[in-house]
Amino acid sequence: MHPDLVALLALQDEDTAVAVLEARRRELDARETALDQERVTAEAAIARARSAAEAEDKKRRELGMKVQEHRALHDRHLAALDVVRKDREATAAMAQIEITRRVLAQEESEMQSLATRIVDLNQTAELEQLSLADLAERQGTQRAEIAAARGEVDAELGTARAQRNQTASRVGRPLLQKYERIRGRENSNALYALRGSACGRCNTAIPLQRRNVMAAGRSVEVCEGCGVLLYASV
Ligand SMILES: [Zn+2]
């Protein structure tokens, strides 16, 4: 077997090992991203409840000022009623008082429901805050596990990549470039053994003449069907 082919077969195995480690690394990253997302969602729920409570409180303050104005108006109408002498004026003053009372009653009931909503929203925010604390505690353990696993994977990756680069240096440059191009494109193996007289990947028949060149692993050829590198196993 050609030394290039021997090195290339070893390189392919080592690249597969690197790819497995890289996939594990991505999976750890994804787990951490999911934890971050979970936390962001929990924090957003607190912020939402708090800002809703603030908005309702602002409404309540504004309404409170209106209520004060309307109470003062009501008092003025009452005072006016005391001093009127004529029936017609008294009827008009009574009507004013009635309208103001109705408005006040409505505003006060609205104040009451605002107060209830504010209490509810603050309670929601506090509950969310408590569950965020739980979440942070639970995530602390998970994050530590992820960090430890990542440390291990990174160390293994460092070794595996160094090994892979060392093997790559033993493959002739033109063949290595072809291999890396295919590997980058296909995101899978780039080198396949002939299966019978056909490509081991796509099953395209390889002419006898080319198979003869490849015989006993003397040369590596490109499959015309799928573009991978082909060799004849000894
Ligand atoms: Zn093929």
Side-chain angles (χ1 to χ4, degrees), residues 213-233:
V213 178
M214 292 158 73
R218 282 198 309 272
S219 156
V220 173
E221 295 282 307
V222 175
C223 169
E224 284 166 2
C226 69
V228 299
L229 297 173
L230 287 174
Y231 69 98
S233 44

Side-chain angles (χ1 to χ4, degrees), residues 56-71 103-104 106-115:
E56 296 293 73
D57 198 44
K58 185 167 175 264
K59 271 193 222 162
R60 184 172 62 171
R61 284 196 306 273
E62 285 164 0
L63 192 57
M65 286 193 287
K66 264 199 203 165
V67 166
Q68 272 182 359
E69 284 166 26
H70 290 152
R71 275 195 195 126
V103 169
L104 267 172
Q106 202 179 355
E107 285 172 348
E108 271 159 4
S109 110
E110 209 176 317
M111 289 278 280
Q112 199 56 54
S113 41
L114 277 170

